Amino acid sequence: MRTPLFQEHVRFHGRIVDFHGWEMPVWYSGIREEHLATRTSAGIFDASHMGEIFVKGPSCVPFLERVQTRSIEKMPRHKVCYSFFLNERGGIIDDLTVYCVEPGERYMLCVNASNTGKDLAWLSSHNGEGADIDDASTGTALIALQGPDASRILNSVTGIDLDGMKAYTFACVPTGPYGELMVSKTGYTGAGGAEIFLASGHAPKLWEELTARGAVPCGLGARDTLRLEMGFPLHGNDIDETTTPLEAYLNFAVDLAKPSFIGKDALARQREEGLSRRLVGLLLEGRGVPRQGCACEKDGVRVGIVTSGSVSPVLGVGIALAYLDKGVAEGDEVDVAVRDRALKARVVHPPFTGGALCIIPKRT
Amino acid sequence: MNIPDDLYYTENHEWGKVEDGDLRVGITDYAQEELGDIVFVDLLPEGTAVSRGDSVGTVESVKAVSEVYAPVDGEITEVNPALEDAPELVNQDPYGKAWMVVIRMTDPSAARSLMDSRAYEEYVKAEAK
């Protein structure tokens, strides 16, 4: 499958790879250069492969209250929140952002590309309330403009004042050349900026204008190293149907106070019984790169496994996210088995670097 | 893509330059392009005996890790000390400053069994398809 920006990726000499069936650029000039551009000026990312699902109608609120983990009943218009679909065991079917388009009437869910089909089937099979579910993924493009210069570039192209918006809100702005833009002050890089939803047909023109004003095209590689530096989890790597939000330190996105949602009982039980493992950060002390699947040991005893690993382009050292047994504390040293070597790493609390704007709420 | 005429090549994208009975070894321009930004290079020490196809080290990029294989039988007599602190040389100058090891060949004629530049160019074209 191709996004509406595929020709732009070709034009910018993107190296195209298969990503869950999507032909996407992994990099253009190089991961490090793109990563640093996003941290110091502005990067532009095609995220059009992600899914956009609208949930509408009189029963949309009770339905959404039951199938995702945030309380949306009092969510104000044009607010965004990070949330989960959970299974009955509290495992994460997908992580998503919920957009309140019209309170009580209309919400948009932005879900992971590789999970869109699965999510839609799951939502339909749990739709006892009879909410109106509309998959708008095909006709919707998503351009992420991230970095300290994102606001200036977006303003110069569209006149939109991102600085005047609060983090985790969005605005629907009609424009002549690009149709209606849904501009959300969110992101997956920790560098600040916006995510812009728009009709697929308008996407190439907006991409051209934003890049012409200096936004540097960035591929999936930089998207991954940027999110990893911030400690943001990636579904399929760090979180999945066998891990819970509590184990992943993502309690902030679960409202255990709301009456009921799928997976709540399992989470309440887990909270009562205590966690056996937690998702933590690892900062390598020497050379080497930890990778997904590397085993972790402490004093010769296996204590966990790496779920995402790379090298931080900002720090120049290996960093990772790993599930470690609860007995391992922040500040401890563990050995990460990278091929035939045991590399020393320090257990830390992400983010690994300070982004220009860290909008993920403090973890508790 | 740069494929110098005066070098020999392997199917794993190493290059070798014959210097008397020695073979200076690195990875090709195509290989560094495929790997992307190189962040670590880790090589076996001088004095290690290797057979053709043995790993002489690893090259690690942001996205992936790749082995470097000995193109011939012999003994490692030199290891490039610059790559430990400047792995990015592999991206910048794969055939020059980023040579990796020198192997004293057990059979000084062994390099002739490797691909020449024309054969390697064809090989890369076929692989890219």
Side-chain angles (χ1 to χ4, degrees), chain A residues 199-216:
Chain A
S200 293
H202 293 301
K205 180 76 183 147
L206 182 60
W207 177 277
E208 276 170 34
E209 290 299 325
L210 293 171
T211 52
R213 307 288 170 111
V216 176

Side-chain angles (χ1 to χ4, degrees), chain A residues 15-344:
Chain A
R15 180 171 298 249
I16 305 297
V17 297
D18 174 77
F19 180 78
H20 300 285
W22 292 89
E23 292 179 75
M24 297 296 286
V26 63
W27 72 72
Y28 305 83
S29 56
I31 294 173
R32 179 194 297 267
E33 197 176 316
E34 294 163 22
H35 181 111
L36 296 176
T38 304
R39 288 266 178 263
T40 58
S41 55
I44 183 170
F45 304 75
D46 178 15
S48 303
H49 56 316
M50 294 189 74
E52 293 84 12
I53 301 167
F54 283 89
V55 180
K56 301 175 283 192
S59 52
C60 67
V61 171
F63 171 65
L64 285 173
E65 288 290 33
R66 207 164 49 75
V67 295
Q68 56 82 47
T69 55
R70 297 303 282 268
S71 178
I72 58 150
E73 212 170 355
K74 291 179 180 144
M75 194 177 180
R77 189 162 181 260
H78 291 178
K79 181 96 180 102
V80 189
C81 69
Y82 178 68
S83 181
F84 302 107
F85 299 140
L86 301 181
N87 59 31
E88 295 287 355
R89 300 180 306 282
I92 300 170
I93 293 169
D94 203 0
D95 64 339
L96 64 146
T97 40
V98 181
Y99 292 77
C100 178
V101 185
E102 282 301 334
E105 290 175 27
R106 189 173 157 87
Y107 298 82
M108 189 183 88
L109 315 178
C110 182
V111 302
N112 281 296
S114 55
N115 291 335
T116 307
K118 177 183 83 168
D119 292 344
L120 277 165
W122 184 81
L123 288 170
S124 299
S125 72
H126 287 84
N127 188 9
E129 289 85 352
D132 182 2
I133 301 171
D134 176 21
D135 176 19
S137 305
T138 307
T140 308
L142 174 55
I143 293 174
L145 180 65
Q146 301 274 294
D149 291 342
S151 167
R152 182 184 55 75
I153 292 171
L154 184 64
N155 184 265
S156 72
V157 173
T158 65
I160 290 165
D161 175 24
L162 195 63
D163 294 333
M165 290 171 60
K166 285 188 177 158
Y168 270 81
T169 66
F170 68 99
C172 296
V173 185
T175 66
Y178 320 108
E180 180 169 284
L181 302 181
M182 186 171 158
V183 178
S184 171
K185 195 165 179 178
T186 51
Y188 194 42
T189 65
E195 293 178 294
I196 306 156
F197 298 90
L198 73 165
S200 293
H202 293 301
K205 180 76 183 147
L206 182 60
W207 177 277
E208 276 170 34
E209 290 299 325
L210 293 171
T211 52
R213 307 288 170 111
V216 176
C218 299
L220 295 177
R223 187 170 158 86
D224 190 51
T225 51
L226 285 158
R227 68 92 192 168
L228 185 59
E229 264 185 3
M230 303 311 295
F232 297 161
L234 171 63
H235 194 271
N237 279 36
D238 313 299
I239 52 177
D240 61 28
E241 297 199 20
T242 69
T243 63
T244 74
L246 307 187
E247 292 169 330
Y249 266 116
L250 298 167
N251 315 36
F252 79 90
V254 178
D255 288 331
L256 280 172
K258 77 171 173 174
S260 157
F261 60 85
I262 298 170
K264 182 187 169 182
D265 293 347
L267 294 190
R269 205 160 46 241
Q270 188 176 49
R271 194 170 65 164
E272 206 162 287
E273 289 168 359
L275 300 170
S276 59
R277 59 176 181 173
R278 280 245 149 140
L279 188 65
V280 298
L282 297 177
L283 187 62
L284 256 67
E285 299 184 331
R287 285 152 45 87
V289 186
R291 305 283 184 188
Q292 185 180 22
C294 289
C296 304
E297 289 191 354
K298 185 166 180 283
D299 306 322
V301 179
R302 184 170 166 135
V303 291
I305 189 163
V306 170
T307 52
S308 286
S310 190
V311 66
S312 158
V314 169
L315 302 173
V317 298
I319 58 173
L321 292 175
Y323 279 102
L324 298 187
D325 293 349
K326 65 170 181 189
V328 185
E330 207 174 308
D332 284 358
E333 191 178 68
V334 296
D335 293 310
V336 183
V338 179
R339 295 184 294 282
D340 55 346
R341 295 205 180 158
L343 304 180
K344 299 276 179 220

Side-chain angles (χ1 to χ4, degrees), chain B residues 24-122:
Chain B
R24 191 173 294 270
V25 176
I27 67 167
T28 66
D29 190 34
Y30 175 79
Q32 69 80 19
E33 277 236 11
E34 285 296 304
L35 283 166
D37 296 326
I38 307 296
V39 290
F40 293 109
V41 178
D42 200 5
L43 300 165
L44 291 180
E46 288 169 18
T48 310
V50 291
S51 300
R52 178 178 180 163
D54 286 355
S55 173
V56 298
T58 54
V59 175
E60 194 140 13
S61 71
V62 178
K63 274 307 243 193
V65 57
S66 176
E67 301 275 344
V68 182
Y69 298 101
V72 293
D73 297 349
E75 180 189 329
I76 298 175
T77 55
E78 275 187 74
V79 175
N80 188 345
L83 297 179
E84 179 162 343
D85 291 326
E88 64 276 11
L89 288 174
V90 179
N91 296 117
Q92 294 160 2
D93 191 9
Y95 298 114
K97 288 182 186 145
W99 65 272
M100 291 179 181
V101 295
V102 174
I103 297 173
R104 177 149 309 146
M105 292 182 275
T106 309
D107 169 10
S109 69
R112 275 185 245 148
S113 66
L114 302 174
M115 284 184 274
D116 63 12
S117 61
R118 191 170 301 173
Y120 180 64
E121 191 174 350
E122 290 301 316

